[in-house]
Amino acid sequence: MSAITRRDALGLIGGGAAAWATTALGIGDGLHAQPAGFPNGAIVRTLLKDVPPSALTGPTLFHEHLSIRYPLTRALAEQQGRPVPASFTDDVDVMVEETKAAGKDSISCIVDGGHPDMDRDLAALKRIAAESGVHIVASGGYYMHRNYPPEIATKSADQIVDDLVRDAASQRLGAFGEIGQQGGVMTDDERKVFTAIAKAQARSGLPIFTHNPYTGLRKVDPPIPMDAALRQLDVLEAGGAQPQHMAIGHVCCLDDTTAEIPKRLAKRGVFVGFDRVTIPIVPDAQKVTTILAFLEAGYVDQLLLSSDFANGRALKKNGGPGIAQTVTAFGPMLVKAGVSEATLKHILVDNSRRFLAVVPKTA
Ligand SMILES: [Zn+2]
Ligand SMILES: [Zn+2]
């Protein structure tokens, strides 16, 4: 097995004009390239229609929020008897304009990571998709223990599976996410929900993306174990979910410059989500260092990037970088650090559509 130089690893696909094309990677030993192409009948299930993955020629952002009220804010307001504060996504006209701008910034598709327990409004997402021209994938599931509707406590995992699969089919949901745990160790109900999500994946074929509670450089008591993401994957695997349809999320919020945890995840065949780029839980410069270590280990096919857009200050109308910030603000940092444009496009375009592409199964 030949050694791979840093340069080879970061510029794997070669530069140049064919950068956005889907091609097999002619790369060396030790790299874990996936074959090019998609299985027969594979589609990406967007809210408005099923599209062939090859139609997503620009980047897909696999974890953002276009319709959300942050659940903790709601819970606090309700506890104190105050009205639930407005969210920046309440103004759908603004979100249409901002999403249109993301389209101009080359974005083909955005996955919204909300569901009913985050006040995600499907009608708003449909309007944003129709009027912006950017494909929107909506998701199903539950966020974390403190947001669960009361019936989760009494339902069995199998009953939850039935609900998830039925709702996904009737509402044209294209993924299950973000599925989270609030602390470093799952509660019993979180374990039940993760098991249900895994079974719903196996039954429907739809991909899963998760939320991890990593706090980066900030110390918390008790600390979040480094291996929380691996334990999350244990539960999903035990529930029968397929690794190639899973993205373990918020791994970029780990203080882990040698990419130890991302590499251990990728070795098990899942996508690794660096999906809080531009959020300074870990500084972006450090995220770049971790990504380089991950790419050098040969896992270019398993990296997903997104920004978990959930802050009105980042809207263009407020002088921020906008919803496409993963591509327009973070991407250039990777290129400056030595990642080739072609590799970056492979990550942003090919990986994310491969993650979303499914051959739908009837329930
Ligand atoms: Zn999250
Ligand atoms: Zn999120």
Side-chain angles (χ1 to χ4, degrees):
M1 176 173 136
S2 60
I4 301 157
T5 66
R6 180 186 181 103
R7 209 178 159 73
D8 288 341
L10 301 181
L12 303 171
I13 309 182
W20 294 87
T22 315
T23 49
L25 308 183
I27 51 185
D29 292 339
L31 295 170
H32 308 263
Q34 305 282 346
F38 301 95
N40 274 343
I43 51 98
V44 172
R45 177 146 293 168
T46 81
L47 254 183
L48 299 184
K49 60 178 175 182
D50 290 348
V51 297
S54 59
L56 305 181
T57 53
T60 290
L61 302 174
F62 88 99
H63 182 160
E64 309 292 345
H65 295 280
L66 303 177
S67 172
I68 187 173
R69 286 197 181 140
Y70 191 61
L72 209 53
T73 311
R74 166 186 276 285
L76 206 64
E78 283 170 350
Q79 201 186 331
Q80 297 170 349
R82 291 183 288 112
V84 179
S87 159
F88 71 97
T89 64
D90 291 352
D91 190 334
V92 181
D93 290 335
V94 164
M95 296 313 292
V96 167
E97 286 311 307
E98 295 281 337
T99 305
K100 218 183 260 178
K104 287 206 182 91
D105 282 332
S106 80
I107 304 300
S108 278
C109 179
I110 299 173
V111 182
D112 185 279
H115 16 73
D117 63 15
M118 300 161 100
D119 285 349
R120 182 277 323 271
D121 178 350
L122 272 184
L125 290 184
K126 275 184 198 157
R127 236 197 87 195
I128 294 167
E131 294 179 25
S132 71
V134 174
H135 294 295
I136 307 285
V137 171
S139 308
Y142 301 95
Y143 187 30
M144 59 178 68
H145 191 121
R146 63 175 166 249
N147 310 110
Y148 290 162
E151 63 269 21
I152 289 291
T154 52
K155 280 185 178 166
S156 70
D158 284 337
Q159 285 172 314
I160 299 170
V161 178
D162 290 341
D163 296 345
L164 288 165
V165 172
R166 186 196 57 236
D167 289 352
S170 66
Q171 298 170 12
R172 294 196 52 78
L173 307 179
F176 295 114
E178 62 180 297
I179 311 302
Q181 60 187 81
Q182 62 198 35
V185 177
M186 280 187 197
T187 66
D188 288 347
D189 278 356
E190 283 171 343
R191 183 173 289 269
K192 180 163 71 177
V193 166
F194 270 79
T195 300
I197 292 285
K199 291 181 172 190
Q201 192 287 316
R203 211 196 284 179
S204 67
L206 297 178
I208 298 169
F209 58 101
T210 73
H211 161 109
N212 270 286
Y214 291 130
T215 59
L217 310 184
R218 187 166 60 85
K219 298 266 178 278
V220 289
D221 188 25
I224 308 296
M226 285 282 281
D227 66 356
L230 292 157
R231 303 291 75 84
Q232 203 171 65
L233 178 52
D234 292 343
V235 177
L236 291 169
E237 276 182 340
Q242 298 159 297
Q244 70 271 28
H245 293 302
M246 279 192 267
I248 305 298
H250 301 352
V251 179
C252 53
C253 295
L254 252 182
D255 181 13
D256 180 15
T257 50
T258 60
E260 184 201 332
I261 298 296
K263 287 188 276 195
R264 285 170 64 187
L265 287 166
K267 209 172 191 172
R268 291 167 64 176
V270 294
F271 288 97
V272 178
F274 277 62
D275 49 0
R276 283 184 145 175
V277 303
T278 75
I279 300 179
I281 295 171
V282 160
D284 276 346
Q286 182 176 329
K287 290 188 189 101
V288 169
T289 304
T290 307
I291 287 173
L292 294 188
F294 186 64
L295 294 178
E296 284 169 11
Y299 292 113
V300 67
D301 286 324
Q302 285 165 266
L303 176 63
L304 292 177
L305 300 176
S306 208
S307 77
D308 201 3
F309 197 93
N311 185 338
R313 284 193 298 276
L315 292 170
K316 287 205 175 193
K317 82 168 175 99
N318 294 332
I323 297 164
Q325 58 191 347
T326 302
V327 174
T328 57
F330 189 73
M333 294 181 70
L334 285 175
V335 172
K336 205 169 159 207
V339 176
S340 74
E341 293 272 359
T343 297
L344 181 61
K345 286 171 181 170
H346 178 69
I347 293 162
L348 290 167
V349 179
D350 297 329
N351 287 0
S352 50
R353 65 186 176 183
R354 182 159 38 81
F355 164 63
L356 288 176
V358 296
V359 180
K361 299 178 191 172
T362 44

